[in-house]
Structure formats: structure tokens, C-alpha cells
Amino acid sequence: MGRLVAVSVLGIALALLGERLLALRNRLKASREIESVDLPNCHLIKGIEAGSEDIDILPNGLAFFSVGLKCPGLHSFAPDKPGGILMMDLKEERPRALELRISRGFDLASFNPHGISTFIDDDDTIYLFVVNHPEFKNTVEIFKFEEEENSLLHLKTIRHELLPSVNDVIAVGPAHFYATNDHYFSDPFLKYLETYLNLHWANVIYYSPNEVKVVADGFDSANGINISPDKKYIYVADILAHEIHVLDKHSNMNLTQLKVLQLDTLVDNLSVDPSSGDIWAGCHPNGQKVYVYDPNNPPSSEVLRIQNILSEKPTVTTVYANNGSVLQGSSVASVYDGKLLIGTLYHRALYCEL
């Protein structure tokens, strides 16, 4: 009888594990392949060889790139090189990506930048917020951009127990921001277990010098975050649920869910066109290829444009798609004045004239 119970328990456990594995493959879109959608006027950006995970563009056309992200279990083409912040002036006829100098005293050797966001204060001071993973820990760094010197002055490092696994950030003040946690745990094994069991414990945090709080939760894996041009709505990408959440932003900075847009791809970072309000999303058509890297079958890339997201039927257009022959693992797409920048987790970056 005891053996029968043991065999029954083992059978149930194996069945549960098999069901979870199948569910994870579905969440990763592990069987999905895409057809190419080409843009005619594109070229790879010189100087970006090991990822440009996030891109943010100022109103004057200066684009910031976070480069060189390294995460446990994620491929890297430059595993021993620290990350950095690059800048490109999109108003130039032939813009080049240049690395910004960072002020002394900041630990450049362990710099591991992830999501980024800019904020322009009333006195025109430009702040750059950077999610950083020094030694795979979690911080948000605040820099002041000094345009004349093409440099960043480090102002503050933020650590908090409510920021255990920060992915992206959207600045809403000189020391105020919303941030996504893509996992509830910070330990790599517990992160994997959380993902495998599909616990939906990821969340969004609001941070200010006076208050830190959870303002939205229940996400599978909260990833990219951005804000509407009128500052009324926060957009959050839930990458493993293939969703973009539209959240009402209230005067006390709390968020309430307004709607969810379901897509057929793993949505990473979100950019917002300030003139039209359109959302541009860097996406992973097949997440398994991202995490199980095979140079002979590399991860593909996909860029979506979402128009009128607040309407009953938003328009979703595939602007660019590639099987990995040109661009592997697109994570962000950002537009400025007819120009499109596409960044990746650990590969190259693309500059296109639309």
C-alpha cells in the first residue's frame, strides 16, 4: 500500500511538472516562427556589438542607449566588458553613437545597465535614470546629463526592499519614478521557480524620497514601462503574458487598471511617440530562442506599433520583423522625426529612416 501511494504521488508530481513545462513553452512562444518584414533604409549602428537593451530619446533628438546588459542565464557577446551609456544625435545627417563619460566615484567596473528613462525638470536640467545590476544586484542610478561635456554626473544610488528585481523605470520627477519588478524574488533559483510555477507575483513600484509603495501587482513578468504624453496613463508590458496593460495614474500616484491589450508576442520595452501617442514595442517572437542561444538558430526580432490604444479596437502593425539574420533579440524600438532605432538584449542595434 505504501509503495502504491508513493508511486501515485510521484505520478501526480511528474504530471504537474510536465503541465508546467508545457505552459512555460506556451508562454515563451517556443514554437513560433515569423515572416520577415523589411524596412528599406536601415543600417546597423557602429559601436554597438553586445546589446542595447533600452533607448530613450529627448525632445531635441538626443538618444540614449543602455548597452552591455548581462544577466544570469542570458547570452553575452562581451561577458567581461562592463556596460555603458551611449548617445546619438538624431538631428545630425549621419549620427554616430558615442559613449558618455561618467563622473569619478561611480563604480564603472560593475556597471550593468538595463532599463533607462529621462526627465527634464522645470529649470531644463536633464536627469537620466538607469536600472543597474552591479554584481547582479538591483539599484536605480540617477545621473545629471551635462550636454556641453557629453558626460553624466552621478547623483544618487537607490536601493530598496521593494525593488528586488528591477527591469525598467519611467521617471516622473527629479527623484521620482515608477519601476517594474519582473520577479518577486531576487535569488536566481527562486526567480526560475517563480517563473516555472507561473505565480504572477511581479509588480510595479512607485518611488519618491518620501514614499515607496506597490501601485500595481499580479503580473506574470512586468517588463517595459512608459507614460502617455498627457501623463494620465502608465503603460506596462507583461512579457510572458503577451500583454500591454493600460493603467490610470491618480494624483496620489496610485494606479488602477483600465484595460489590457493581448498580443501574440513577448513584449519587452515600450516607447511612446510624444507627437502621436503611439506605442512602439520591441518584442521577442520566440522567447525560448532568447534564453537558449543557438548561433545557428538565433532569436528573431519584431517591432510593433500600437495606435489608439485607448480605443475599443487599437491598431497593431508589425513595422519590422527579422529571423535573426540581421538583428537578434529586439528589446526596444523608439522613434524620432521619421527615424526608428531598434535595440536588442545582447546583439546589435538598427537605425532606420521611415
Side-chain angles (χ1 to χ4, degrees):
M1 185 66 179
R3 289 181 180 179
L4 181 59
V5 171
V7 169
S8 299
V9 170
L10 178 61
I12 293 171
L14 290 174
L16 179 61
L17 289 173
E19 186 274 332
R20 289 292 86 194
L21 182 59
L22 181 61
L24 180 59
R25 282 182 53 83
N26 290 335
R27 287 154 65 210
L28 289 171
K29 297 282 182 182
S31 300
R32 186 176 178 226
E33 301 292 340
I34 60 166
E35 294 184 6
S36 291
V37 177
D38 296 321
L39 289 170
N41 302 306
C42 296
H43 66 265
L44 294 168
I45 299 173
K46 186 178 180 180
I48 298 179
E49 311 285 343
S52 49
E53 200 277 341
D54 202 6
I55 301 170
D56 199 21
I57 305 176
L58 292 173
N60 64 3
L62 293 179
F64 296 90
F65 300 73
S66 70
V67 299
L69 174 66
K70 285 166 280 293
C71 295
L74 195 68
H75 181 72
S76 174
F77 286 104
D80 299 321
K81 183 181 178 182
I85 301 294
L86 273 57
M87 186 187 73
M88 175 183 280
D89 188 349
L90 297 179
K91 287 190 172 180
E92 293 181 355
E93 187 174 343
R94 295 184 177 180
R96 298 176 301 149
L98 303 173
E99 186 163 4
L100 296 178
R101 293 184 297 105
I102 297 179
S103 58
R104 292 182 180 180
F106 182 75
D107 185 4
L108 291 172
S110 67
F111 192 31
N112 191 10
H114 199 164
I116 61 174
S117 177
T118 55
F119 180 80
I120 304 175
D121 211 348
D122 293 336
D123 61 1
D124 293 328
T125 300
I126 299 170
Y127 297 94
L128 179 68
F129 292 62
V130 181
V131 175
N132 185 22
H133 304 293
E135 299 175 349
F136 304 124
K137 296 181 174 65
N138 293 271
T139 67
V140 175
E141 313 291 348
I142 303 179
F143 299 91
K144 176 184 175 183
F145 174 53
E146 300 183 317
E147 187 171 353
E148 292 182 2
E149 292 81 22
N150 279 342
S151 65
L152 296 171
L153 175 65
H154 184 247
L155 301 178
K156 188 175 184 181
T157 296
I158 295 169
R159 300 180 181 86
H160 197 276
E161 61 182 8
L162 290 180
L163 297 170
S165 186
V166 195
N167 187 295
D168 197 15
V169 61
I170 181 68
V172 292
H176 311 69
F177 58 85
Y178 291 98
T180 55
N181 284 305
D182 52 26
H183 291 82
Y184 178 82
F185 297 107
S186 57
D187 178 81
F189 174 75
L190 292 178
K191 281 185 177 185
Y192 176 79
L193 193 63
E194 179 185 344
T195 299
Y196 190 80
L197 296 176
N198 195 11
L199 296 180
H200 282 255
W201 288 357
N203 57 30
V204 177
I205 302 298
Y206 171 70
Y207 178 94
S208 76
N210 300 319
E211 183 180 32
V212 186
K213 58 184 177 180
V214 177
V215 289
D217 56 15
F219 299 96
D220 190 340
S221 182
N223 199 290
I225 186 169
N226 218 305
I227 192 168
S228 62
D230 59 12
K231 313 301 181 188
K232 293 181 179 179
Y233 307 101
I234 295 291
Y235 306 129
V236 177
D238 191 336
I239 187 168
L240 289 178
H242 324 129
E243 296 170 343
I244 296 176
H245 293 246
V246 181
L247 305 165
D248 269 315
K249 183 171 76 69
H250 304 290
S251 57
N252 62 0
M253 309 310 284
N254 286 339
L255 304 175
T256 55
Q257 184 162 286
L258 179 64
K259 66 178 296 184
V260 178
L261 178 64
Q262 187 73 41
L263 299 165
D264 189 37
T265 189
L266 282 74
V267 190
D268 200 323
N269 286 310
L270 305 174
S271 299
V272 178
D273 184 337
S275 58
S276 65
D278 295 349
I279 298 172
W280 291 73
C283 307
H284 307 288
N286 185 320
Q288 181 164 295
K289 291 184 180 182
V290 171
Y291 293 103
V292 184
Y293 185 78
D294 179 357
N296 298 313
N297 187 21
S300 45
S301 293
E302 186 176 31
V303 171
L304 299 182
R305 179 187 185 185
I306 298 106
Q307 297 170 279
N308 302 314
I309 194 168
L310 296 176
S311 69
E312 209 169 293
K313 291 185 177 180
T315 301
V316 180
T317 306
T318 301
V319 176
Y320 176 82
N322 179 261
N323 63 5
S325 60
V326 176
L327 204 65
Q328 302 176 11
S330 56
S331 56
V332 62
S334 195
V335 293
Y336 176 83
D337 193 25
K339 303 172 180 69
L340 170 65
L341 301 175
I342 308 173
T344 63
L345 276 174
Y346 43 66
H347 192 231
R348 307 291 301 276
L350 205 62
Y351 172 95
C352 301
E353 298 275 357
L354 295 173

